[in-house]
C-alpha cells in the first residue's frame, strides 16, 4: 500500500504560477482586493509562501481561512425565484484559502500520478480532461463495439429492438 506521508513545501515559482492562474475575484472576507494582492505579489511572496507551507507542514490551517461567504444562486434563470429548491449554495472563499487549496490539489494529483493510482480515464480535476473528453471516449467505445458486432450494454439498446 502506498501512502502520502508528507507534504512537500512549494517554492516561489510554483506559488507565483498558482496565484497568476487563479481568477481575480475577491471575497468580502479578503483583507486586500485580489487584483491589488496580485499586483504587489512580489512584495508578499515570502509571507504567502510561509503561510501556505507552514499551514500544511504543521497541520494547522488558520481558522480565518476556513470561513466562507455562502450565497444562494438561482440554478437556472427561468426557475421560480420564490421556491428555495431552485437555489444552490455558492461558497466564496478568501483568496489565500484558494491558493492553499490549489497547492494541495496539485500535490495530491502529482502523488496519484507518480504512483499510478489515478485512473487513466479520470476527468475531474485533470488538465485537458472534461466531461466532453469522457463522453467522447464512451461514444468511441460504443462505435468500436458496434463495428465489431459486440454488445455494448442493455441500457443502450433501443427500446423497440427485440432481443
Amino acid at each position: 500500500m502506498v501512502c502520502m506521508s508528507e507534504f512537500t513545501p512549494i517554492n516561489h515559482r510554483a506559488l507565483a504560477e498558482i496565484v497568476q492562474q487563479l481568477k481575480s475575484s475577491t471575497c468580502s472576507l479578503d483583507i486586500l482586493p485580489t487584483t491589488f494582492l496580485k499586483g504587489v505579489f512580489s512584495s508578499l511572496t515570502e509571507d504567502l509562501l510561509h503561510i501556505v507551507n507552514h499551514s500544511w507542514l504543521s497541520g494547522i490551517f488558520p481558522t480565518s481561512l476556513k470561513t466562507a461567504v455562502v450565497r444562494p444562486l438561482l440554478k437556472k434563470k427561468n426557475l421560480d425565484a420564490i421556491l428555495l429548491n431552485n437555489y444552490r449554495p455558492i461558497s466564496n472563499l478568501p483568496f489565500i484559502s484558494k491558493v492553499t487549496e490549489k497547492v494541495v490539489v496539485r500535490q495530491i494529483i502529482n502523488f496519484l500520478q507518480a504512483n499510478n493510482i489515478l485512473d487513466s480515464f479520470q476527468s475531474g480535476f485533470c488538465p485537458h480532461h472534461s466531461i466532453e473528453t469522457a463522453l467522447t471516449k464512451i461514444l468511441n467505445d460504443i462505435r468500436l463495439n458496434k463495428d465489431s458486432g459486440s454488445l455494448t450494454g442493455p441500457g443502450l439498446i433501443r427500446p423497440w429492438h427485440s432481443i
Side-chain angles (χ1 to χ4, degrees):
M1 178 181 194
V2 179
C3 68
M4 186 174 176
S5 59
E6 64 185 56
F7 170 81
T8 306
I10 63 164
N11 59 29
H12 294 84
R13 196 179 106 246
L15 181 65
E17 185 180 295
I18 288 170
V19 167
Q20 291 309 312
Q21 285 177 350
L22 288 172
K23 293 179 184 175
S24 294
S25 58
T26 299
C27 173
S28 60
L29 300 172
D30 285 326
I31 295 170
L32 299 172
T34 304
T35 51
F36 179 76
L37 187 136
K38 284 184 167 186
V40 297
F41 175 75
S42 59
S43 301
L44 302 173
T45 305
E46 283 299 323
D47 295 318
L48 287 174
L49 200 57
H50 176 75
I51 290 169
V52 171
N53 283 331
H54 183 72
S55 171
W56 290 103
L57 290 171
S58 68
I60 300 169
F61 194 65
T63 304
S64 61
L65 298 180
K66 295 178 188 178
T67 305
V69 174
V70 181
R71 293 194 173 109
L73 182 69
L74 199 57
K75 292 176 184 176
K76 295 179 183 177
K77 293 183 181 190
N78 62 342
L79 294 176
D80 187 353
I82 295 175
L83 297 174
L84 294 179
N85 286 341
N86 291 337
Y87 288 88
R88 61 186 171 104
I90 298 296
S91 297
N92 194 353
L93 294 167
F95 187 72
I96 296 174
S97 296
K98 294 176 192 175
V99 171
T100 307
E101 177 183 357
K102 190 70 166 176
V103 168
V104 173
V105 166
R106 278 189 178 188
Q107 293 220 358
I108 291 171
I109 288 183
N110 288 341
F111 171 81
L112 294 172
Q113 289 173 335
N115 291 285
N116 293 321
I117 298 171
L118 196 60
D119 188 280
S120 59
F121 299 113
Q122 170 70 31
S123 293
F125 306 105
C126 291
H128 313 295
H129 290 276
S130 64
I131 189 67
E132 287 86 5
T133 56
L135 289 173
T136 300
K137 166 74 172 114
I138 292 169
L139 184 59
N140 186 56
D141 288 349
I142 291 170
R143 288 182 175 159
L144 288 173
N145 285 338
K146 182 180 177 196
D147 290 345
S148 69
S150 299
L151 181 64
T152 300
L156 300 173
I157 297 174
R158 293 184 307 241
W160 57 88
H161 182 79
S162 60
I163 297 176

